[in-house]
Each structure stands twice: as C-alpha cells, then as structure tokens.
Amino acid sequence: MTEARPHRNFYGRRKGHNLRDSQAAYLEQDLAKLSPGAVDWDENPDRTALDLETLFGGRDVWLEVGFGGGEHMVHQAALNPNVGLIGCEPYINGVAMLLGKIRASGVANLRVFPGDVRDIFDVLPDASIARAFLLYPDPWPKKRHHRRRFVTPEHLEPLARVLQPGAIFRVATDIPDYVRQTLEEVPKVGFEWLAEGPEDWRKPWGDWISTRYEQKALREGRVPHYLTFRRLG
C-alpha cells in the first residue's frame, strides 16, 4: 500500500558554488552505483525497507548523518573494512567531495544517499544500525531556529528506532548551546550519556580524524565537545 508522503520542511543548502568538472564527473559516474537502494519517495512510495543484509553481506551497519566533505566516513571505512557505512548528505557539493575521496582511497564498504536523512529513516529496518555519527551539524544559532536542529524529536525518535540496543551514537559539536540541547533531548528517547568525567567529552575518540569543520572551529577559538551515547533496551 502506498503511503502518503509527509510534508517535511527542509532548511539549509542543497547546492553551493559551481562544481569542478571532476566533481561533476564523480556524481555522474559514481553516485548511482553507491546507492543504498530505493530511498526517495518517487522511487519507493510504499516505503519498502532497505535490504541491508544483501547490501553489506550481514556486516554491522553504521550511519553518518550529514557527512560534510566525507573525510570522516572514508576514514572509518578504511579503519573498519568489516563494517558497512551509509552516509546521508543533502549538500551536493559535499557529496561530490566524498565521491572524490572514495575514488582516491579505494574503500568499497560505503553507500551514499544524497538527501534528507528523514527519508532514509523511513526505509531502515528497526534496530538495524549498530553505530551512528552526528558530527558538527548545522548549529542553527538563533533561538527561533533551534527547532531545525537534528537533536529534536522529529529526528531523534526515528534514529532511536533504527539503532540496535547497545548501539553507540556519537555527537561532535563546538557550539555550547548545541551541547546543552543534545544532553537534554537525546536521553529522552532512550539513550544514556556515557561520560564519567570531563575528559570523556573534552578528548576526541581514539579513532577520530579531525574534519575541516573542526579545524575551522579551532582556528576561530571554539572548543569541540565529543559526546557519546548508548542506546538503551
């Protein structure tokens, strides 16, 4: 039975400066073959679940929400060849950057969805994701825009549904108020914060690679926070 497509406001950029010829070629030649399956409503109006078992051969699946330029995704894929990773990013320039990094690195355990993560939540099976990353998300600093942040029930509730019990959810941000909202909202949907002392959020994870967003934050004098949550259940 075909479901009614929900109305979802989208805030933020989908495209920036003109793509270089090489980046346009990556999109044309590589993006379709790296698809996780039918995600968009136009091609999957029944919202049939993705077949992750076939897609990744039974491996654990990790999800990165908004992968930016893709350096963290490629880094994790190279470090963890026995894991499958899905990345979501609506900003097409970032998608093109990721595709270039995939070509250069040769990693093969990645799939890419160039769109709104809410659409992929629709088609992920319950308890199918073993780890999720939210790294330097758009801070939407004005108070009237805080409802646009990822750390709101509209995003966190479906995230909790698709994460396995015991799954890890990592959040990195340099915005103190984003830290506040994250610590308030994430536990409400069934997570526990794993910090036992200040060093647990001041120091990056052992397998971390500093992204271009983090480098910009450090240059501008902002302090990164590294928050680790575990899905209860």
Side-chain angles (χ1 to χ4, degrees):
M1 178 178 177
T2 300
E3 296 186 26
R5 183 171 190 161
H7 174 72
R8 288 170 173 163
N9 288 326
F10 179 82
Y11 305 100
R13 296 185 299 170
R14 290 191 181 271
K15 192 174 189 301
H17 55 77
N18 290 334
L19 297 169
R20 296 194 298 270
D21 289 346
S22 60
Q23 292 177 323
Y26 300 153
L27 291 170
E28 181 179 352
Q29 298 169 14
D30 297 350
L31 183 56
K33 64 187 180 185
L34 290 172
S35 170
V39 175
D40 285 324
W41 279 81
D42 291 341
E43 60 180 340
N44 185 0
D46 294 330
R47 312 316 284 150
T48 301
L50 297 176
D51 184 357
L52 300 182
E53 181 76 20
T54 299
L55 187 65
F56 290 118
R59 291 178 284 183
D60 279 349
V61 181
W62 296 357
L63 175 70
E64 184 162 342
V65 178
F67 53 71
E71 55 265 59
H72 177 263
M73 270 202 69
V74 170
H75 172 72
Q76 290 291 349
L79 279 181
N80 300 281
N82 294 322
V83 167
L85 289 96
I86 298 175
C88 301
E89 175 59 63
Y91 185 52
I92 201 65
N93 298 64
V95 174
M97 292 174 65
L98 169 66
L99 296 178
K101 292 180 175 70
I102 293 173
R103 279 199 181 192
S105 67
V107 294
N109 53 330
L110 288 175
R111 295 295 183 270
V112 184
F113 174 61
D116 190 329
V117 71
R118 290 173 294 183
D119 289 340
I120 206 166
F121 282 151
D122 293 340
V123 294
L124 284 173
D126 291 355
S128 60
I129 302 297
R131 181 164 296 194
F133 305 92
L134 178 69
L135 308 176
Y136 293 95
D138 194 323
W140 295 109
K142 295 181 181 179
K143 188 173 182 179
R144 68 177 183 272
H145 293 157
H146 286 184
R147 61 187 174 83
R148 301 180 181 180
R149 291 174 170 175
F150 183 88
V151 288
T152 56
E154 180 182 9
H155 301 91
L156 292 174
E157 290 174 359
L159 173 68
R161 178 187 65 78
V162 304
L163 285 179
Q164 301 169 0
I168 295 297
F169 176 39
R170 291 181 176 180
V171 181
T173 181
D174 57 297
I175 306 299
D177 189 66
Y178 207 103
V179 174
R180 173 201 60 77
Q181 189 172 349
T182 301
L183 293 176
E184 287 179 358
E185 298 297 329
V186 173
K188 291 179 182 178
V189 296
F191 292 84
E192 60 177 339
W193 185 30
L194 296 184
E196 296 181 352
E199 291 304 297
D200 291 329
W201 56 262
R202 290 175 178 165
K203 294 177 66 174
W205 303 283
D207 59 355
W208 176 242
I209 181 173
S210 187
T211 68
R212 62 193 179 110
Y213 294 105
E214 179 168 279
Q215 291 303 311
K216 179 182 179 183
L218 293 170
R219 288 195 303 270
E220 296 176 358
R222 296 190 297 276
V223 179
H225 296 69
Y226 309 94
L227 309 176
T228 306
F229 299 89
R230 181 167 54 216
R231 177 76 171 98
L232 299 172

